[in-house]
Amino acid sequence: MASSASTNPAHAHFESFLQAQLCQDVLSSFQGLCGALGLEPGGGLPQYRKLKAQLNYWSAKSLWAKLDKRAEQPVYQQGRACARTKCLVVGAGPCGLRAAVELALLGARVVLVEKRTKFSRHNVLHLWPFTIHDLRALGAKKFYGRFCTGTLDHISIRQLQLLLLKVVLLLGVEIHWGVTFTGLQPPPKKGSGWRARLQPHPPAPLANYEFDVLISAAGGKFVPEGFTVREMRGKLAIGITVNFVNRRTVEETQVPEISGVARIYNQSFFQSLLKATGIDLENIVYYKDDTHYFVMTAKKQCLLRLGVLRQDWPEIDRLLGSANVVPEALQCFVRAAADFATNGKLGKLEFARDAHGRPDISAFDFTSMMRAESSARVQEKDGARLLLGLVGDCLVEPFWPLGTGVARGFLAAFDAAWMVKRWAEGAGPLEVLAERESLYQLLSQTSPENMHRNVAQYELDPATRYPTLNLRAVTTHQVQDLYDVMTKEPGRRPSDKPDAGKPATGTQEELLRWCQEQTAGYPGVHVTDLSSSWADGRALCALVHRLRPGLLEPAELRGVGALEATAWALKVAEHELGIPPVLSAKAVVAGSDPLGLIAYLSHFHSTFKNMAHGPGGPEGPARQGFPGTSSAVLFLGKLQRTLQRPRAQENREDTGGKKPRLEGEAKTPSTEEPPVPESDVPPTPPSQHQEAGAGDLCALCGEHLYILERLCADGRFFHRSCFRCHTCEATLWPGGYRQHPGDGHFYCLQHLPQEGPEEDGGDQGPGSQDLPVAEDASLPSGPSPAATLPEGTRAAPSPGQPTRRLIRLSSLERQRLSSLRLTPEPELEPPPKPPRGCAALARQALEGSFVGWGMPVQSPQVLATEEEQEQSVSSSEEEEEEEEEAAGETTALGSDMEQALLTLAKNSGTMSKYPTWQRTLLRRAREEEMKRFCKAQAVQRRLHEIETALGDLEAEGMKVELALRSQGGSPEQQKTLWMEQLLQLVQKKNSLLAEEAELMITVQELNLEEKQWHLDQELRGYLNQEGALKTPADRQAEEQLLKKLLDVVNQRDTLIRFQEELRLSELA
């Protein structure tokens, strides 16, 4: 075979074409192949057919079989679907090349222009299952034998571009290098077509090329004229990418990849990194491909402290500009981070070189990401129509930690090609645009979990990819502004300002009327306005009783002072309804903050306005699940109050199986256990000094607090920007902070100073804290049983008396946990959880696969063997792998296989005898890690976006509030408009805070998952030891680990109960 290839020039050129690893080598070898066969490159599908017919070479047959299988799909109509369509694709990135492949298979003439002359980006992309199958079907293994052979599915951008370039060349796409697209040239006269303005000096055939479809894949910095781009802004986020030379030594093969570790759920790793190196990161990822690729998010203060940045500038471009970055310091920074993450196993790290011969390292900003408002447009002049479509980064800039860029880029390429097919079929412009925008709405929601599971059936037709497809989700009327006829004056685009011209959802008059309806019928309560009628506290108590009956009978308010009753109502509204106060009880009684009171009451209105009117009762409107009620806010509030209680006190509490009460009930102090008040409720009625201006001044900075700026924590009000960790200055989120009893400062759980030796040691993260017990998870619930009081004592709604929240487990619950019977009472039966299958048990067994987090290292022999096996994957093995993958998408493991894998997983020592199964199980474990990392990064990004949005709302609210307070001689209509704007801003803020609380529940879940996984791994090591070899210290450590694990399982069970009850309440 080798002699045949050497004697036949075409065979030799084809082999060079397959093996070429540089862009110029690919082009020259393909040019030589076409020359040897007497063909002209760029001839479309006819060129491919001629090439296939003339190159009767054994090495090419498997590649022809794959491409033919794709081209024979009915949707392409044997290459005649778009035979009369001329397309121009701008950009030879992965998405532009993938779009060109589909257009060529449809039979269109495709011309591609690229401003660069070589591929030099080493950065590595994460691949979804469908992208792997798609690339394999295009011959990826033929062009790149190491494609997806490791434990993680990824590929460098350069390799992906190379293999797609080879495919488009074979399919007859015409490519022009070093040519920059600068804009469109409309038809100069009737009967001519659209052309492109190109630089510097395009050849005449290209300059005169007339096309009717333009696909832009030129990156986020270039969007064709006419498209509107929206910015999605978060907190300052500085990403750093670096590529080190991969020498592929045995030592390097031992170092496992890091699918992603994030501070949001693994704080201990980043705490250790900070102590060891002084480097403060948010996350880090390590992929092993052509290079050792690391990407991380660094904190600005850390970069300034370590001298990576010379000076702090408010402008992002100036902050990360080359003049402000010290290259030597940046290199030391990434070396230290990479060494720590891999335990120094990579040896001496040598930087790979970029296209300019410099170390391949860069710092970039992804604070804001751009997203096109529309994915397509149509322009028409003198009867010549042009269809424009966006794919890749110019459509949606991806958030890199999620690993969604190339997957959603490929989906957009498929959707754009489908649009071109519909265009070629003669569908109307508005119909084509409406279908394309309907698909675009699905793009940001796609994930491997919510797409069709059988990736082998994916075709160009979007119905094969999206389970919930509605091509009429966007109507033709909605896309009329995307159709531009240049002979007419272009219509004015709708305002980009959100909610412009929309009527306010709740006016002051509507709010007053609703309050009157809710408080009607209560003795002594007469609401006539939104200020003085609430001064005695009775109206507020009546409103709370209507929404949460059973806590207090109206008759019990006799003899209770106005300040005491108001404080009780504020506290119960926060604890039982999830409505935090925005003003103090003193301000309500004194009537000193009428705007604050209106804003506070509007929260009740927006939350419960859809509730049926009627007297409250145990089965009335007090149950969970009312529209607008944020159960997550309630849950986190209880969690935060749990965190604030001293651990020593927790160890002495025992509920005895009774549910604790949250209301401000009286409790007789015991001589053995003096009552300790919750930190967010003062032990006595607030004094004049405590309450004066409590809602007007920040408790930390002392500056004035506007209504939308007020954040209530532990009974005090703060600026949100002031409420930060005293150590790291990170924003404090619900359920993720504590107030230190010694110095009184607030800390995130990572930097909370230890009061003394903890029982369990380890890191302090949200997942390591006690959660409210399962009975508290369904908040707000029905009325609690009354506490037993001494004779002659009655419960008064006094906030001056301590409120007790006991969350320790009962004796029965402890007994069940100790016997691993985690099933609760029958009436509180949670939804069934999926059984722990092979994947979970396999993860426990593969202790040697997660080096870097304290796990043992795999032996060099096993890893070296795996490396050799990866490099020697033959074409037949590739086919078998594809068949197994396709079968795995549709068939579950049988009981025999399940039992066999279960046995293997329990005995990790036998796994080395089955390297193929070991690789498969290891890959599945890595995929689970990647899913958790992506989920964490999505949550963190959204939290940062919410924080930014809240800052914008605060600034806008301050302007409106100042206008209202200094309205003077303003007309009454203007005052009403300002008030409506303020109420609308308050409603937006409350909605964002509710979403933030739900995200923090997810953070708790991620923390517990991570902690349970580590405890599982550590405990498995002790369980695998022979009993006779265990020392007393081993047995004691095993017992402690088991207790920790049971505690985490119990907390996860609480979260599962909460989420299921929330889901059921939403369905109801």
Side-chain angles (χ1 to χ4, degrees):
M1 293 295 181
S3 61
S4 174
S6 61
T7 56
N8 190 322
H11 295 180
H13 285 303
F14 183 76
E15 289 296 336
S16 299
F17 175 72
L18 290 181
Q19 304 301 325
Q21 292 296 301
L22 296 175
C23 183
Q24 293 301 325
D25 293 343
V26 173
L27 297 175
S28 61
S29 58
F30 186 74
Q31 188 73 33
L33 174 63
C34 291
L37 298 176
L39 301 176
E40 188 68 28
L45 277 184
Q47 173 218 283
Y48 166 70
R49 296 188 180 106
K50 293 177 183 178
L51 181 63
K52 182 180 64 171
Q54 296 186 35
L55 188 63
N56 187 17
Y57 179 41
W58 68 269
S59 184
K61 289 183 179 180
S62 61
L63 181 59
W64 303 148
K66 286 183 175 295
L67 295 179
D68 285 345
K69 183 178 179 180
R70 180 78 183 190
E72 289 169 0
Q73 292 180 2
V75 70
Y76 300 116
Q77 300 175 16
Q78 297 295 322
R80 296 189 296 270
C82 299
R84 296 183 179 181
T85 305
K86 295 180 179 180
C87 304
L88 177 68
V89 179
V90 181
C95 299
L97 289 169
R98 190 64 190 85
V101 169
E102 291 303 309
L103 294 174
L105 289 172
L106 286 167
R109 182 188 175 188
V110 185
V111 175
L112 187 148
V113 294
E114 168 58 47
K115 64 181 179 180
R116 298 183 178 89
T117 58
K118 57 183 177 180
F119 299 149
S120 58
R121 291 185 289 175
H122 293 109
N123 292 356
V124 180
L125 302 173
H126 174 65
L127 299 178
W128 288 6
F130 94 85
T131 54
I132 298 171
H133 187 276
D134 177 70
L135 291 170
R136 279 178 175 158
L138 295 176
K141 295 287 287 185
K142 193 72 176 178
F143 300 123
Y144 182 48
R146 297 178 56 83
F147 178 73
C148 286
T149 54
T151 56
L152 290 174
D153 297 324
H154 52 68
I155 189 172
S156 70
I157 298 177
R158 188 181 72 86
Q159 284 291 351
L160 181 56
Q161 287 177 289
L162 282 173
L163 70 88
L164 288 174
L165 172 63
K166 295 174 183 179
V167 175
V168 298
L169 288 173
L170 292 174
L171 294 178
V173 174
E174 181 182 334
I175 304 179
H176 295 270
W177 303 91
V179 178
T180 302
F181 176 85
T182 59
L184 288 169
Q185 182 178 338
K189 59 182 179 179
K190 193 170 184 178
S192 58
W194 291 80
R195 299 179 183 177
R197 292 198 300 267
L198 305 169
Q199 290 181 353
H201 302 290
L206 179 60
N208 296 325
Y209 176 60
E210 295 182 353
F211 49 89
D212 46 16
V213 173
L214 171 68
I215 301 296
S216 176
K221 294 184 179 179
F222 178 79
V223 178
E225 184 179 355
F227 286 90
T228 304
V229 177
R230 175 167 55 92
E231 180 184 22
M232 298 176 289
R233 189 161 52 93
K235 287 176 59 180
L236 175 64
I238 301 175
I240 300 176
T241 61
V242 58
N243 287 277
F244 297 106
V245 174
N246 185 357
R247 300 180 182 85
R248 305 191 187 281
T249 63
V250 175
E251 290 76 15
E252 286 174 304
T253 63
Q254 295 183 47
V255 183
E257 298 172 296
I258 302 174
S259 57
V261 57
R263 176 190 295 271
I264 200 170
Y265 64 81
N266 193 344
Q267 297 181 358
S268 60
F269 170 78
F270 293 96
Q271 183 82 355
S272 302
L273 172 65
L274 180 61
K275 289 180 180 178
T277 64
I279 294 175
D280 203 1
L281 299 179
E282 290 288 346
N283 51 47
I284 188 169
V285 173
Y286 163 51
Y287 289 156
K288 192 187 310 179
D289 208 271
D290 285 348
T291 60
H292 296 292
Y293 170 69
F294 291 84
V295 57
M296 60 199 80
T297 303
K299 293 190 175 181
K300 181 181 72 171
Q301 295 302 325
C302 171
L303 296 175
L304 289 168
R305 174 169 45 82
L306 296 178
V308 177
L309 300 178
R310 303 180 193 274
Q311 196 169 347
D312 189 3
W313 298 103
E315 302 86 3
I316 302 298
D317 293 340
R318 197 172 182 184
L319 178 70
L320 298 180
S322 57
N324 198 47
V325 177
V326 182
E328 296 79 9
L330 181 58
Q331 293 174 20
C332 293
F333 182 95
V334 295
R335 270 200 177 105
D339 268 334
F340 182 88
T342 58
N343 288 335
K345 299 296 184 180
L346 289 179
K348 184 179 180 181
L349 294 170
E350 178 184 349
F351 290 100
R353 299 291 166 173
D354 62 14
H356 304 286
R358 298 173 299 200
D360 194 354
I361 175 175
S362 64
F364 61 97
D365 163 57
F366 59 98
T367 302
S368 62
M369 297 181 296
M370 311 307 291
R371 176 187 176 90
E373 293 282 1
S374 61
S375 60
R377 299 184 65 85
V378 172
Q379 294 186 7
E380 180 178 345
K381 183 180 181 183
D382 296 333
R385 291 175 177 173
L386 175 67
L387 176 64
L388 299 94
L390 304 180
V391 298
D393 289 1
C394 64
L395 180 63
V396 179
E397 283 188 326
F399 182 47
W400 70 262
L402 300 186
T404 58
V406 68
R408 291 178 179 168
F410 276 23
L411 290 174
F414 298 154
D415 296 340
W418 176 259
M419 173 185 68
V420 175
K421 180 179 182 295
R422 297 282 291 128
W423 177 265
E425 290 172 347
L430 292 179
E431 183 182 353
V432 171
L433 291 172
E435 284 190 5
R436 179 67 187 96
E437 295 308 308
S438 298
L439 290 172
Y440 185 37
Q441 288 186 346
L442 296 175
L443 186 63
S444 61
Q445 307 168 21
T446 54
S447 68
E449 289 74 30
N450 61 18
M451 297 180 65
H452 278 310
R453 302 294 294 175
N454 191 352
V455 297
Q457 293 184 357
Y458 281 19
E459 296 182 3
L460 191 61
D461 188 343
T464 63
R465 302 188 298 274
Y466 307 116
T468 57
L469 177 64
N470 180 11
L471 291 177
R472 297 183 180 180
V474 177
T475 65
T476 55
H477 177 74
Q478 294 174 290
V479 297
Q480 288 182 351
D481 60 331
L482 303 180
Y483 186 14
D484 297 332
V485 181
M486 298 185 67
T487 56
K488 300 179 181 179
E489 182 180 355
R492 181 174 300 175
R493 295 183 60 79
S495 172
D496 291 332
K497 295 182 180 180
D499 304 310
K502 292 182 180 180
T505 56
T507 62
Q508 193 171 349
E509 292 76 11
E510 182 184 352
L511 175 61
L512 176 59
R513 186 167 56 253
W514 181 82
C515 290
Q516 289 172 338
E517 291 175 355
Q518 296 301 316
T519 57
Y522 285 88
V525 178
H526 304 284
V527 175
T528 58
D529 54 33
L530 297 174
S531 54
S532 60
S533 296
W534 305 82
D536 61 0
R538 293 180 178 272
L540 194 56
C541 288
L543 180 60
V544 172
H545 180 268
R546 173 78 70 182
L547 303 173
R548 190 70 169 89
L551 297 177
L552 177 72
E553 293 300 325
E556 296 185 42
L557 289 174
R558 296 171 184 171
V560 177
L563 184 61
E564 192 175 24
T566 303
W568 175 86
L570 291 174
K571 188 185 80 168
V572 173
E574 180 181 12
H575 290 187
E576 299 295 331
L577 299 178
I579 299 180
V582 295
L583 76 169
S584 62
K586 179 73 175 181
V588 176
V589 174
S592 59
D593 190 5
L595 286 180
L597 179 60
I598 293 173
Y600 181 61
L601 293 175
S602 71
H603 196 172
F604 284 89
H605 177 229
S606 62
T607 301
F608 298 102
K609 61 184 177 182
N610 295 326
M611 181 186 70
H613 176 62
E619 303 301 328
R623 301 189 63 81
Q624 181 184 2
F626 282 128
T629 302
S630 176
S631 301
V633 173
L634 288 165
F635 185 85
L636 285 179
K638 294 205 168 198
L639 172 61
Q640 187 57 50
R641 290 188 290 277
T642 299
L643 296 179
Q644 290 298 93
R645 290 163 53 240
R647 184 176 291 270
Q649 178 193 350
E650 295 174 10
N651 294 335
R652 293 194 301 266
E653 294 173 345
D654 192 337
T655 63
K658 294 182 180 180
K659 182 177 177 179
R661 293 191 59 168
L662 287 176
E663 61 270 20
E665 62 183 16
K667 184 176 180 69
T668 304
S670 167
T671 55
E672 297 179 359
E673 182 178 302
V676 180
E678 284 189 340
S679 56
D680 59 331
V681 182
T684 57
S687 65
Q688 187 77 14
H689 174 71
Q690 289 173 323
E691 282 286 347
D696 295 328
L697 300 179
C698 175
L700 289 176
C701 70
E703 297 294 329
H704 181 75
L705 276 170
Y706 293 93
I707 292 174
L708 266 80
E709 292 179 324
R710 297 175 188 174
L711 183 148
C712 183
D714 300 326
R716 295 182 289 170
F717 292 92
F718 306 88
H719 287 106
R720 189 177 176 91
S721 57
C722 293
F723 194 60
R724 297 179 178 273
C725 174
H726 184 67
T727 299
C728 67
E729 299 185 354
T731 301
L732 298 177
W733 283 312
Y737 68 89
R738 275 190 185 180
Q739 183 179 16
H740 194 268
D743 56 23
H745 295 300
F746 291 94
Y747 296 88
C748 66
L749 297 179
Q750 180 183 358
H751 296 110
L752 179 69
Q754 298 296 323
E755 303 174 35
E758 292 287 344
E759 178 185 350
D760 57 356
D763 65 291
Q764 290 291 326
S768 64
Q769 308 302 324
D770 287 333
L771 296 175
V773 292
E775 290 178 335
D776 290 334
S778 57
L779 298 173
S781 61
S784 305
T788 303
L789 299 175
E791 205 173 315
T793 307
R794 74 177 181 92
S798 171
Q801 293 168 327
T803 302
R804 303 302 303 271
R805 260 194 97 248
L806 310 179
I807 66 163
R808 304 304 295 176
L809 299 175
S810 66
S811 301
L812 177 60
E813 290 171 324
R814 289 176 179 172
Q815 182 179 2
R816 285 176 176 166
L817 283 177
S818 64
S819 60
L820 286 177
R821 293 174 56 198
L822 300 177
T823 307
E825 295 294 337
E827 62 270 17
L828 296 176
E829 185 69 30
K833 291 184 284 187
R836 300 184 59 170
C838 311
L841 289 172
R843 286 173 56 187
Q844 296 173 358
L846 296 174
E847 299 167 352
S849 61
F850 295 94
V851 185
W853 328 119
M855 298 297 110
V857 185
Q858 271 187 292
S859 65
Q861 293 81 4
V862 172
L863 287 163
T865 303
E866 291 181 13
E867 185 75 13
E868 293 173 2
Q869 291 172 343
E870 290 170 6
Q871 295 178 0
S872 61
V873 176
S874 63
S875 58
S876 61
E877 289 173 337
E878 173 195 344
E879 298 296 337
E880 292 175 5
E881 187 179 66
E882 291 181 3
E883 292 174 4
E884 291 172 2
E885 181 183 90
E889 295 295 335
T890 56
T891 307
L893 289 174
S895 58
D896 294 341
M897 180 64 72
E898 177 82 20
Q899 186 59 41
L901 286 178
L902 197 148
T903 304
L904 284 170
K906 289 182 177 179
N907 188 0
S908 59
T910 65
M911 291 301 295
S912 59
K913 301 177 183 178
Y914 304 92
T916 303
W917 285 16
Q918 187 179 32
R919 276 204 314 275
T920 301
L921 293 175
L922 182 56
R923 179 187 294 271
R924 298 288 172 85
R926 293 295 193 186
E927 288 173 356
E928 292 301 317
E929 291 255 316
M930 172 64 74
K931 288 178 183 178
R932 185 160 65 250
F933 176 73
C934 291
K935 187 176 182 180
Q937 292 307 297
V939 168
Q940 190 169 29
R941 174 70 188 188
R942 183 56 188 154
L943 286 172
H944 289 166
E945 289 176 351
I946 289 175
E947 186 174 353
T948 302
L950 286 171
D952 295 340
L953 286 178
E954 290 173 0
E956 191 175 350
M958 181 180 68
K959 296 177 183 178
V960 176
E961 185 177 345
L962 285 173
L964 279 169
R965 294 188 185 277
S966 59
Q967 53 192 352
S970 301
E972 194 64 31
Q973 184 177 1
Q974 181 63 54
K975 298 176 185 177
T976 302
L977 179 61
W978 283 336
M979 180 57 68
E980 290 177 354
Q981 290 177 354
L982 181 65
L983 294 180
Q984 194 176 54
L985 293 174
V986 169
Q987 185 174 350
K988 287 182 180 179
K989 176 188 175 183
N990 294 335
S991 177
L992 288 174
L993 291 177
E995 183 183 358
E996 181 185 58
E998 292 171 0
L999 292 173
M1000 289 309 300
I1001 295 292
T1002 306
V1003 172
Q1004 302 289 342
E1005 183 180 8
L1006 290 170
N1007 273 286
L1008 292 173
E1009 286 180 9
E1010 181 74 7
K1011 188 168 186 180
Q1012 181 177 346
W1013 185 85
H1014 285 294
L1015 290 172
D1016 274 343
Q1017 292 294 314
E1018 196 172 353
L1019 183 60
R1020 182 64 57 186
Y1022 286 104
L1023 294 178
N1024 286 339
Q1025 292 181 11
E1026 294 185 13
L1029 300 178
K1030 290 183 181 179
T1031 65
D1034 290 337
R1035 298 182 186 277
Q1036 183 178 4
E1038 181 180 339
E1039 185 67 22
Q1040 291 178 351
L1041 283 173
L1042 183 59
K1043 290 180 180 179
K1044 292 180 184 179
L1045 183 60
L1046 294 178
D1047 185 51
V1048 171
V1049 169
N1050 179 53
Q1051 295 177 54
R1052 288 194 67 184
D1053 186 66
T1054 299
L1055 280 180
I1056 291 173
R1057 288 167 180 259
F1058 165 78
Q1059 292 171 333
E1060 179 62 15
E1061 292 183 12
L1062 178 60
R1063 184 184 69 83
L1064 294 176
S1065 68
E1066 291 173 350
L1067 291 177

